[in-house]
PDB file of all heavy atoms in Angstrom:
ATOM      1  N   SER A  23      -4.443   6.839  -2.262  1.00 98.00           N
ATOM      2  CA  SER A  23      -4.043   5.479  -1.898  1.00 98.00           C
ATOM      3  C   SER A  23      -3.901   4.617  -3.150  1.00 98.00           C
ATOM      4  O   SER A  23      -4.698   4.724  -4.084  1.00 98.00           O
ATOM      5  CB  SER A  23      -5.085   4.870  -0.962  1.00 98.00           C
ATOM      6  OG  SER A  23      -4.862   3.482  -0.799  1.00 98.00           O
ATOM      7  N   SER A  24      -2.906   3.743  -3.121  1.00 98.00           N
ATOM      8  CA  SER A  24      -2.741   2.786  -4.223  1.00 98.00           C
ATOM      9  C   SER A  24      -3.695   1.606  -4.068  1.00 98.00           C
ATOM     10  O   SER A  24      -3.872   0.827  -5.011  1.00 98.00           O
ATOM     11  CB  SER A  24      -1.298   2.280  -4.262  1.00 98.00           C
ATOM     12  OG  SER A  24      -0.988   1.556  -3.082  1.00 98.00           O
ATOM     13  N   ALA A  25      -4.291   1.482  -2.889  1.00 96.00           N
ATOM     14  CA  ALA A  25      -5.206   0.387  -2.605  1.00 96.00           C
ATOM     15  C   ALA A  25      -6.618   0.917  -2.382  1.00 96.00           C
ATOM     16  O   ALA A  25      -6.816   2.104  -2.133  1.00 96.00           O
ATOM     17  CB  ALA A  25      -4.745  -0.367  -1.361  1.00 96.00           C
ATOM     18  N   ASN A  26      -7.579   0.049  -2.460  1.00 96.00           N
ATOM     19  CA  ASN A  26      -8.969   0.386  -2.216  1.00 96.00           C
ATOM     20  C   ASN A  26      -9.156   0.753  -0.744  1.00 96.00           C
ATOM     21  O   ASN A  26      -8.980  -0.078   0.134  1.00 96.00           O
ATOM     22  CB  ASN A  26      -9.850  -0.815  -2.572  1.00 96.00           C
ATOM     23  CG  ASN A  26     -11.314  -0.570  -2.309  1.00 96.00           C
ATOM     24  OD1 ASN A  26     -11.725   0.532  -1.956  1.00 96.00           O
ATOM     25  ND2 ASN A  26     -12.118  -1.596  -2.468  1.00 96.00           N
ATOM     26  N   ILE A  27      -9.491   2.012  -0.473  1.00 95.00           N
ATOM     27  CA  ILE A  27      -9.561   2.446   0.922  1.00 95.00           C
ATOM     28  C   ILE A  27     -10.709   1.779   1.688  1.00 95.00           C
ATOM     29  O   ILE A  27     -10.676   1.711   2.918  1.00 95.00           O
ATOM     30  CB  ILE A  27      -9.655   3.982   1.039  1.00 95.00           C
ATOM     31  CG1 ILE A  27     -10.898   4.524   0.340  1.00 95.00           C
ATOM     32  CG2 ILE A  27      -8.394   4.626   0.514  1.00 95.00           C
ATOM     33  CD1 ILE A  27     -11.070   6.032   0.521  1.00 95.00           C
ATOM     34  N   LEU A  28     -11.694   1.254   0.986  1.00 92.00           N
ATOM     35  CA  LEU A  28     -12.779   0.566   1.673  1.00 92.00           C
ATOM     36  C   LEU A  28     -12.345  -0.816   2.169  1.00 92.00           C
ATOM     37  O   LEU A  28     -13.073  -1.455   2.931  1.00 92.00           O
ATOM     38  CB  LEU A  28     -14.000   0.436   0.764  1.00 92.00           C
ATOM     39  CG  LEU A  28     -14.740   1.747   0.479  1.00 92.00           C
ATOM     40  CD1 LEU A  28     -15.953   1.487  -0.390  1.00 92.00           C
ATOM     41  CD2 LEU A  28     -15.161   2.424   1.778  1.00 92.00           C
ATOM     42  N   ALA A  29     -11.177  -1.267   1.748  1.00 94.00           N
ATOM     43  CA  ALA A  29     -10.653  -2.533   2.244  1.00 94.00           C
ATOM     44  C   ALA A  29     -10.040  -2.384   3.631  1.00 94.00           C
ATOM     45  O   ALA A  29      -9.644  -3.387   4.237  1.00 94.00           O
ATOM     46  CB  ALA A  29      -9.608  -3.078   1.279  1.00 94.00           C
ATOM     47  N   PHE A  30      -9.978  -1.164   4.124  1.00 96.00           N
ATOM     48  CA  PHE A  30      -9.412  -0.874   5.438  1.00 96.00           C
ATOM     49  C   PHE A  30     -10.513  -0.419   6.389  1.00 96.00           C
ATOM     50  O   PHE A  30     -11.570   0.025   5.958  1.00 96.00           O
ATOM     51  CB  PHE A  30      -8.325   0.195   5.312  1.00 96.00           C
ATOM     52  CG  PHE A  30      -7.197  -0.239   4.427  1.00 96.00           C
ATOM     53  CD1 PHE A  30      -7.298  -0.098   3.054  1.00 96.00           C
ATOM     54  CD2 PHE A  30      -6.054  -0.809   4.953  1.00 96.00           C
ATOM     55  CE1 PHE A  30      -6.277  -0.514   2.213  1.00 96.00           C
ATOM     56  CE2 PHE A  30      -5.028  -1.224   4.135  1.00 96.00           C
ATOM     57  CZ  PHE A  30      -5.133  -1.083   2.764  1.00 96.00           C
ATOM     58  N   ASN A  31     -10.253  -0.519   7.666  1.00 96.00           N
ATOM     59  CA  ASN A  31     -11.281  -0.216   8.659  1.00 96.00           C
ATOM     60  C   ASN A  31     -11.474   1.278   8.862  1.00 96.00           C
ATOM     61  O   ASN A  31     -12.555   1.720   9.229  1.00 96.00           O
ATOM     62  CB  ASN A  31     -10.948  -0.887   9.984  1.00 96.00           C
ATOM     63  CG  ASN A  31     -10.949  -2.386   9.845  1.00 96.00           C
ATOM     64  OD1 ASN A  31      -9.957  -2.980   9.461  1.00 96.00           O
ATOM     65  ND2 ASN A  31     -12.078  -3.022  10.144  1.00 96.00           N
ATOM     66  N   SER A  32     -10.420   2.044   8.647  1.00 97.00           N
ATOM     67  CA  SER A  32     -10.553   3.479   8.825  1.00 97.00           C
ATOM     68  C   SER A  32      -9.447   4.220   8.077  1.00 97.00           C
ATOM     69  O   SER A  32      -8.397   3.652   7.758  1.00 97.00           O
ATOM     70  CB  SER A  32     -10.510   3.857  10.305  1.00 97.00           C
ATOM     71  OG  SER A  32      -9.258   3.526  10.872  1.00 97.00           O
TER      72      SER A  32
END
Side-chain angles (χ1 to χ4, degrees):
S23 169
S24 64
N26 178 6
I27 60 176
L28 289 182
F30 299 84
N31 297 85
S32 63

